[in-house]
């Protein structure tokens, strides 16, 4: 008898947590030590756990995920030969992936852009995976990153440096490039050149530009760097290199990512 996947709460409490986990652009699949086939991470909800706690535990034990954001996609039940079992499906975006923890049943993991062909549960997991993709398409936020247009480098003050005429023309061109893609908000660092890059687009869409301090670029410690190319090479060679009172690339990255996560 075919297996039936039924979205929505089951009659009884959930028994399983299944986690469709993504790391970068790839999905994470695991192989049990007693099998040659692949699975979406997941397992039984143990006594004293709720579904989210079980999902977090299983994700670490089966993939080595050391940092992740976990989201509930929804409950489901599986009907096989007249018997029902229930679970909760989750999506996880893994931020840090460590080594596979020792002492558990997973022998191997793989990163892949789609489901492997050899699956342990070919009648169940493709449908759960498809449901996750549908959920993502309905709930995901698309972020467009825009590099500021050409600035006037004759102005040495970082915060007030304006755009050149060429830069203003490029900013105006964004209106036709991004019109109609469904933009709901426009955010910028508080620098003049960045605000002025997105202001024509925001005005066209009837939106205001929200300034977010955490999106600002690396600070130079209040000094003018004559040989910016050399300075930039030193920073990329050493992610912690900074001028006195300025920011390293690591500082800037942490601040920017935190600001973006706050917006999301």
């Amino acid at each position: 008898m075919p297996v039936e996947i039924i979205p929505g709460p089951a009659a009884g409490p959930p028994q399983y947590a299944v986690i469709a986990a993504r790391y970068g652009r790839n999905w994470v699949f695991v192989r049990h030590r007693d099998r040659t086939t692949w699975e979406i991470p997941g397992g039984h909800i143990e006594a004293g756990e709720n579904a989210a706690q079980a999902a977090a535990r299983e994700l670490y034990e089966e993939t080595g995920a050391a940092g992740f954001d976990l989201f509930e996609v929804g409950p489901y039940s599986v009907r096989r030969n007249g018997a029902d079992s229930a679970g909760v499906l989750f999506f996880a975006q893994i931020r840090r992936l460590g080594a596979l923890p020792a002492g558990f049943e997973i022998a191997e993991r793989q990163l892949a852009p789609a489901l492997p062909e050899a699956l342990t549960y070919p009648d169940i997991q493709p449908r759960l995976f498809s449901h996750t993709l549908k959920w993502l398409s309905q709930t995901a936020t698309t972020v467009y990153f825009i590099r500021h247009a050409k600035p006037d480098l004759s102005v040495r003050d970082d915060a007030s440096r304006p755009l050149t005429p060429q830069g203003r023309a490029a900013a105006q061109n964004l209106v036709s490039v991004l019109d109609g893609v469904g933009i709901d908000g426009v955010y910028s660092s508080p620098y003049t050149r960045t605000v002025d890059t997105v202001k024509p687009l925001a005005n066209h869409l009837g939106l205001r530009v929200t300034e977010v301090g955490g999106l600002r670029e690396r600070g130079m410690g209040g000094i003018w760097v004559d040989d910016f190319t050399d300075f930039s090479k030193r920073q990329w060679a050493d992610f912690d290199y900074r001028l006195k009172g300025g920011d390293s690339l690591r500082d800037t990255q942490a601040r920017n990512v935190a600001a973006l996560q706050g917006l999301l």
Side-chain angles (χ1 to χ4, degrees), residues 25 30 38 80 82 89 95-96 106 108 112 114 118 128 139 164 166 175 202 205 231 235 238 244 255:
R25 295 185 177 183
V30 298
W38 295 92
R80 186 197 299 267
L89 176 63
R95 290 180 273 108
R96 297 190 308 278
I106 297 303
E108 188 180 0
L128 294 180
T139 61
T164 63
Q166 180 183 355
V175 175
L205 298 173
F231 167 74
Q235 283 211 307
D238 179 359
K244 184 177 181 181
R255 183 178 66 245

Side-chain angles (χ1 to χ4, degrees), residues 59-66 96-102 104 109:
L59 186 61
Y60 167 71
E61 292 177 358
E62 296 200 351
T63 71
R96 297 190 308 278
L97 193 60
L100 275 178
F104 297 103
R109 71 185 179 206

Side-chain angles (χ1 to χ4, degrees), residues 2-242:
V3 172
E4 185 179 1
I5 306 294
I6 308 169
Q15 303 158 272
Y16 302 95
V18 177
I19 315 99
R22 191 168 60 188
Y23 180 60
R25 295 185 177 183
N26 287 314
W27 297 90
V28 184
F29 303 102
V30 298
R31 183 180 64 79
H32 192 281
R33 64 191 175 199
D34 296 330
R35 303 179 186 123
T36 59
T37 49
W38 295 92
E39 304 164 21
I40 297 173
H44 284 87
I45 300 173
E46 296 182 353
E49 287 184 325
N50 60 36
Q53 291 169 334
R57 174 183 53 77
E58 291 284 355
L59 186 61
Y60 167 71
E61 292 177 358
E62 296 200 351
T63 71
F68 51 86
D69 298 308
L70 186 68
F71 305 90
E72 182 176 325
V73 176
Y76 69 92
S77 59
V78 176
R79 181 167 297 158
R80 186 197 299 267
N81 298 327
D84 290 352
S85 61
V88 181
L89 176 63
F90 292 86
F91 166 72
Q93 183 67 55
I94 299 175
R95 290 180 273 108
R96 297 190 308 278
L97 193 60
L100 275 178
F104 297 103
E105 69 271 17
I106 297 303
E108 188 180 0
R109 71 185 179 206
Q110 70 160 301
L111 305 179
L115 277 172
E117 290 187 7
L119 292 170
T120 305
Y121 308 104
D123 49 359
I124 298 175
Q125 295 207 327
R127 281 180 265 185
L128 294 180
F129 187 71
S130 177
H131 190 64
T132 302
L133 295 180
K134 181 179 179 181
W135 177 85
L136 279 172
S137 71
Q138 295 171 340
T139 61
T141 298
T142 300
V143 179
Y144 297 92
F145 289 94
I146 301 169
R147 169 122 177 111
H148 64 73
K150 188 174 182 179
D152 184 352
L153 296 178
S154 68
V155 177
R156 292 195 169 192
D157 180 66
D158 205 30
S160 62
R161 185 176 304 128
L163 298 177
T164 63
Q166 180 183 355
R168 291 194 296 271
Q172 189 63 46
N173 189 51
L174 278 176
V175 175
S176 59
V177 172
L178 293 177
D179 188 27
V181 301
I183 292 176
D184 301 303
V186 180
Y187 303 90
S188 170
S189 74
Y191 295 159
T192 298
R193 62 186 178 277
T194 58
V195 173
D196 287 352
T197 296
V198 294
K199 187 178 289 183
L201 174 65
N203 290 342
H204 174 75
L205 298 173
L207 301 171
R208 68 184 183 93
V209 179
T210 301
E211 297 181 15
V212 180
L215 295 177
R216 69 187 184 277
E217 297 180 31
R218 55 191 160 186
M220 304 297 178
I223 66 171
W224 178 259
V225 178
D226 289 314
D227 191 345
F228 186 78
T229 299
D230 179 69
F231 167 74
S232 185
K233 287 180 178 179
R234 292 188 67 178
Q235 283 211 307
W236 283 107
D238 179 359
F239 225 53
D240 294 306
Y241 175 75
R242 62 170 64 84

